[in-house]
Amino acid sequence: MLKKYLTVAGYSESEITIQKSRFITYTKRTETEEEAQAFIQEIKKKHPSANHNCSAYMIGEHDLIQKANDDGEPSGTAGVPMLEVLKKQGLKDTTVVVTRYFGGIKLGGGGLIRAYGKSVTEGLKAAGVVERSLNRIMMSKMDYTWLGKVENEVRSSKYPLKDIHYLDEVSVETYVKEDDVDAFTEWMTELTNGQAVIKQGDMVYREQIVTE
Protein backbone atom coordinates (compact mmCIF):
# COMPACT_ATOMS: atom_id res chain seq x y z
CA MET A 1 0.00 0.00 0.00
CA LEU A 2 1.28 3.45 -0.88
CA LYS A 3 2.02 5.76 2.05
CA LYS A 4 0.19 8.53 0.23
CA TYR A 5 -1.24 9.43 -3.15
CA LEU A 6 -3.53 11.93 -4.88
CA THR A 7 -6.98 11.29 -6.33
CA VAL A 8 -10.21 13.19 -6.96
CA ALA A 9 -12.49 13.95 -4.02
CA GLY A 10 -15.52 12.56 -5.82
CA TYR A 11 -17.95 12.94 -8.70
CA SER A 12 -18.28 16.22 -10.57
CA GLU A 13 -19.69 17.80 -13.72
CA SER A 14 -18.39 20.94 -15.42
CA GLU A 15 -18.85 22.59 -18.80
CA ILE A 16 -16.99 25.03 -21.05
CA THR A 17 -17.79 26.37 -24.52
CA ILE A 18 -15.06 26.78 -27.13
CA GLN A 19 -15.86 28.08 -30.62
CA LYS A 20 -19.54 27.20 -30.07
CA SER A 21 -18.74 23.57 -29.20
CA ARG A 22 -19.90 22.40 -25.75
CA PHE A 23 -17.40 20.36 -23.73
CA ILE A 24 -18.99 18.71 -20.69
CA THR A 25 -16.54 17.00 -18.32
CA TYR A 26 -17.54 14.22 -15.94
CA THR A 27 -15.07 13.14 -13.27
CA LYS A 28 -15.20 10.25 -10.83
CA ARG A 29 -12.94 8.26 -8.51
CA THR A 30 -12.70 4.69 -9.80
CA GLU A 31 -10.61 2.03 -8.11
CA THR A 32 -10.91 -0.70 -10.78
CA GLU A 33 -10.98 -0.78 -14.56
CA GLU A 34 -14.49 -2.25 -14.35
CA GLU A 35 -15.66 0.82 -12.41
CA ALA A 36 -14.00 3.09 -14.97
CA GLN A 37 -15.62 1.35 -17.94
CA ALA A 38 -19.03 1.32 -16.23
CA PHE A 39 -18.77 5.09 -15.62
CA ILE A 40 -17.82 5.74 -19.25
CA GLN A 41 -20.81 3.70 -20.47
CA GLU A 42 -23.08 5.55 -18.05
CA ILE A 43 -22.06 8.91 -19.54
CA LYS A 44 -22.43 7.60 -23.10
CA LYS A 45 -26.01 6.53 -22.30
CA LYS A 46 -26.63 9.96 -20.84
CA HIS A 47 -25.53 11.65 -24.08
CA PRO A 48 -26.44 9.29 -26.94
CA SER A 49 -26.73 12.17 -29.42
CA ALA A 50 -23.37 13.78 -28.58
CA ASN A 51 -20.74 13.90 -31.30
CA HIS A 52 -18.09 12.43 -29.03
CA ASN A 53 -17.72 10.97 -25.51
CA CYS A 54 -13.96 10.87 -25.08
CA SER A 55 -12.39 9.30 -22.00
CA ALA A 56 -9.23 8.62 -20.03
CA TYR A 57 -8.40 6.90 -16.79
CA MET A 58 -5.54 5.98 -14.47
CA ILE A 59 -6.01 2.97 -12.19
CA GLY A 60 -3.80 1.26 -9.60
CA GLU A 61 -1.06 2.08 -7.11
CA HIS A 62 1.61 2.10 -9.81
CA ASP A 63 -0.55 3.44 -12.68
CA LEU A 64 -0.39 0.08 -14.42
CA ILE A 65 -3.78 0.64 -16.06
CA GLN A 66 -3.87 3.71 -18.30
CA LYS A 67 -6.38 4.10 -21.10
CA ALA A 68 -7.35 6.90 -23.46
CA ASN A 69 -10.14 6.91 -26.05
CA ASP A 70 -10.67 9.55 -28.73
CA ASP A 71 -14.20 8.27 -29.55
CA GLY A 72 -14.14 9.47 -33.14
CA GLU A 73 -12.01 12.60 -32.76
CA PRO A 74 -8.78 12.63 -34.81
CA SER A 75 -6.27 10.22 -33.30
CA GLY A 76 -4.35 11.67 -30.36
CA THR A 77 -6.38 14.88 -30.08
CA ALA A 78 -8.71 13.98 -27.19
CA GLY A 79 -8.05 10.91 -25.03
CA VAL A 80 -4.28 11.31 -24.87
CA PRO A 81 -4.27 14.99 -23.84
CA MET A 82 -6.94 14.14 -21.27
CA LEU A 83 -4.72 11.37 -19.88
CA GLU A 84 -1.73 13.71 -19.83
CA VAL A 85 -3.58 16.09 -17.50
CA LEU A 86 -4.20 13.22 -15.07
CA LYS A 87 -0.51 12.27 -15.25
CA LYS A 88 0.68 15.84 -14.81
CA GLN A 89 -1.41 16.24 -11.67
CA GLY A 90 -0.27 12.86 -10.35
CA LEU A 91 -3.78 11.49 -9.92
CA LYS A 92 -4.58 7.83 -9.33
CA ASP A 93 -7.86 5.91 -9.52
CA THR A 94 -9.45 8.67 -11.60
CA THR A 95 -11.68 8.57 -14.69
CA VAL A 96 -12.69 11.55 -16.83
CA VAL A 97 -15.19 11.64 -19.69
CA VAL A 98 -15.56 14.69 -21.93
CA THR A 99 -18.77 14.90 -23.93
CA ARG A 100 -18.58 17.17 -26.96
CA TYR A 101 -21.47 18.70 -28.87
CA PHE A 102 -20.03 20.13 -32.09
CA GLY A 103 -20.85 23.79 -32.63
CA GLY A 104 -20.09 23.99 -36.35
CA ILE A 105 -16.59 25.45 -36.16
CA LYS A 106 -13.64 23.07 -36.65
CA LEU A 107 -10.88 23.52 -34.08
CA GLY A 108 -8.06 21.68 -35.84
CA GLY A 109 -5.70 19.23 -34.16
CA GLY A 110 -3.98 21.74 -31.90
CA GLY A 111 -7.28 23.35 -30.97
CA LEU A 112 -8.79 20.02 -29.99
CA ILE A 113 -5.78 19.07 -27.87
CA ARG A 114 -6.02 22.37 -25.98
CA ALA A 115 -9.80 22.12 -25.64
CA TYR A 116 -9.83 18.61 -24.20
CA GLY A 117 -6.90 19.38 -21.92
CA LYS A 118 -8.61 22.51 -20.61
CA SER A 119 -11.89 20.63 -20.14
CA VAL A 120 -10.22 18.05 -17.91
CA THR A 121 -8.32 20.72 -15.95
CA GLU A 122 -11.61 22.51 -15.23
CA GLY A 123 -13.29 19.19 -14.40
CA LEU A 124 -10.63 18.36 -11.83
CA LYS A 125 -11.05 21.77 -10.23
CA ALA A 126 -14.77 21.07 -9.93
CA ALA A 127 -14.16 17.63 -8.43
CA GLY A 128 -11.45 18.71 -6.01
CA VAL A 129 -8.26 16.80 -5.32
CA VAL A 130 -7.49 14.95 -2.08
CA GLU A 131 -4.35 13.43 -0.65
CA ARG A 132 -4.92 9.98 0.82
CA SER A 133 -2.29 9.15 3.45
CA LEU A 134 -1.89 5.79 5.14
CA ASN A 135 -2.44 5.93 8.91
CA ARG A 136 -2.75 3.52 11.80
CA ILE A 137 -5.83 3.98 13.97
CA MET A 138 -4.67 4.15 17.57
CA MET A 139 -7.24 3.50 20.31
CA SER A 140 -6.59 4.97 23.74
CA LYS A 141 -9.02 3.81 26.44
CA MET A 142 -9.13 5.68 29.74
CA ASP A 143 -11.22 6.86 32.66
CA TYR A 144 -13.52 9.80 31.94
CA THR A 145 -11.50 12.03 34.26
CA TRP A 146 -8.77 12.16 31.59
CA LEU A 147 -11.04 13.02 28.65
CA GLY A 148 -10.92 16.82 28.83
CA LYS A 149 -7.14 16.99 29.01
CA VAL A 150 -6.57 14.29 26.39
CA GLU A 151 -9.08 15.68 23.90
CA ASN A 152 -7.59 19.18 24.15
CA GLU A 153 -4.06 17.88 23.73
CA VAL A 154 -4.99 15.63 20.80
CA ARG A 155 -6.82 18.43 18.99
CA SER A 156 -3.74 20.64 19.18
CA SER A 157 -1.30 17.85 18.27
CA LYS A 158 -0.16 16.43 14.94
CA TYR A 159 -2.34 13.36 15.52
CA PRO A 160 -5.78 13.97 13.94
CA LEU A 161 -8.77 12.95 16.06
CA LYS A 162 -10.88 10.27 14.40
CA ASP A 163 -13.59 9.55 16.95
CA ILE A 164 -14.49 9.34 20.65
CA HIS A 165 -16.48 6.39 21.97
CA TYR A 166 -18.38 6.93 25.20
CA LEU A 167 -18.77 3.55 26.93
CA ASP A 168 -17.95 2.35 30.47
CA GLU A 169 -14.65 4.02 29.81
CA VAL A 170 -13.94 6.54 27.09
CA SER A 171 -11.97 5.50 24.02
CA VAL A 172 -10.20 8.13 21.93
CA GLU A 173 -9.31 7.15 18.36
CA THR A 174 -6.58 9.00 16.50
CA TYR A 175 -4.88 8.76 13.12
CA VAL A 176 -1.16 8.06 13.46
CA LYS A 177 1.37 7.53 10.68
CA GLU A 178 3.10 4.17 10.97
CA ASP A 179 6.50 5.75 11.63
CA ASP A 180 5.01 7.69 14.57
CA VAL A 181 3.27 4.82 16.38
CA ASP A 182 5.97 4.39 19.03
CA ALA A 183 6.26 8.14 19.59
CA PHE A 184 2.48 8.45 19.90
CA THR A 185 2.31 5.58 22.40
CA GLU A 186 4.99 7.20 24.54
CA TRP A 187 3.27 10.61 24.28
CA MET A 188 -0.16 9.26 25.26
CA THR A 189 1.34 7.23 28.11
CA GLU A 190 3.02 10.33 29.55
CA LEU A 191 -0.10 12.43 29.00
CA THR A 192 -2.24 10.07 31.07
CA ASN A 193 0.41 9.10 33.62
CA GLY A 194 0.26 5.56 32.27
CA GLN A 195 -3.48 5.27 32.90
CA ALA A 196 -4.51 4.81 29.27
CA VAL A 197 -4.73 1.40 27.61
CA ILE A 198 -3.33 1.96 24.12
CA LYS A 199 -4.01 -0.45 21.27
CA GLN A 200 -3.20 -0.47 17.57
CA GLY A 201 -6.12 -0.69 15.14
CA ASP A 202 -6.40 -1.05 11.36
CA MET A 203 -4.34 0.70 8.71
CA VAL A 204 -6.62 3.09 6.81
CA TYR A 205 -6.34 5.96 4.36
CA ARG A 206 -7.12 9.42 5.70
CA GLU A 207 -8.21 12.05 3.17
CA GLN A 208 -7.23 15.69 3.20
CA ILE A 209 -8.42 18.20 0.63
CA VAL A 210 -5.64 19.59 -1.55
CA THR A 211 -7.83 21.68 -3.87
CA GLU A 212 -11.53 22.48 -4.04
Side-chain angles (χ1 to χ4, degrees):
M1 299 174 77
L2 294 174
K3 286 191 174 181
K4 62 181 180 180
Y5 66 93
L6 299 177
T7 187
V8 287
Y11 173 83
S12 74
E13 300 177 18
S14 64
E15 181 174 342
I16 61 175
T17 301
I18 299 175
Q19 295 290 340
K20 297 185 178 180
S21 280
R22 292 174 62 203
F23 292 85
I24 310 167
T25 302
Y26 297 90
T27 307
K28 188 177 181 181
R29 186 188 301 180
T30 51
E31 297 182 352
T32 66
E33 188 166 20
E34 289 74 22
E35 286 181 15
Q37 288 291 347
F39 179 56
I40 293 167
Q41 293 307 315
E42 177 187 332
I43 301 306
K44 285 187 173 184
K45 288 179 182 177
K46 188 172 184 176
H47 295 281
S49 62
N51 297 90
H52 310 279
N53 287 289
C54 305
S55 59
Y57 53 82
M58 299 268 288
I59 306 291
E61 285 189 5
H62 304 291
D63 306 327
L64 293 180
I65 302 173
Q66 302 179 23
K67 294 287 175 65
N69 191 318
D70 295 313
D71 196 42
E73 292 282 28
S75 180
T77 62
V80 170
M82 290 167 63
L83 185 62
E84 286 302 313
V85 175
L86 299 184
K87 288 182 180 179
K88 186 177 180 181
Q89 296 203 22
L91 298 178
K92 299 181 183 299
D93 295 345
T94 300
T95 299
V96 287
V97 183
V98 177
T99 297
R100 182 190 183 194
Y101 286 94
F102 183 54
I105 300 174
K106 292 187 176 181
L107 301 180
L112 286 172
I113 290 170
R114 289 189 293 273
Y116 280 100
K118 182 177 180 181
S119 296
V120 172
T121 299
E122 293 300 315
L124 295 175
K125 286 180 183 177
V129 172
V130 296
E131 180 184 85
R132 302 192 83 211
S133 57
L134 197 58
N135 283 251
R136 174 78 66 183
I137 296 177
M138 297 296 291
M139 297 166 287
S140 305
K141 185 184 287 187
M142 65 202 73
D143 184 88
Y144 276 88
T145 55
W146 292 102
L147 178 58
K149 178 183 179 181
V150 169
E151 184 177 356
N152 286 338
E153 291 293 333
V154 167
R155 289 189 184 278
S156 61
S157 75
K158 68 177 183 178
Y159 307 115
L161 179 66
K162 180 181 183 292
D163 206 352
I164 299 177
H165 299 284
Y166 302 91
L167 302 169
D168 292 340
E169 290 185 296
V170 65
S171 182
V172 179
E173 291 187 355
T174 47
Y175 292 104
V176 179
K177 291 180 179 172
E178 189 72 0
D179 294 342
D180 292 334
V181 167
D182 290 342
F184 170 83
T185 302
E186 184 178 333
W187 177 74
M188 182 60 71
T189 300
E190 291 180 0
L191 190 61
T192 60
N193 290 338
Q195 298 302 303
V197 177
I198 305 166
K199 293 183 178 180
Q200 296 186 22
D202 295 334
M203 292 292 286
V204 299
Y205 278 107
R206 177 173 177 263
E207 296 188 3
Q208 292 177 283
I209 295 176
V210 177
T211 62
E212 294 184 272

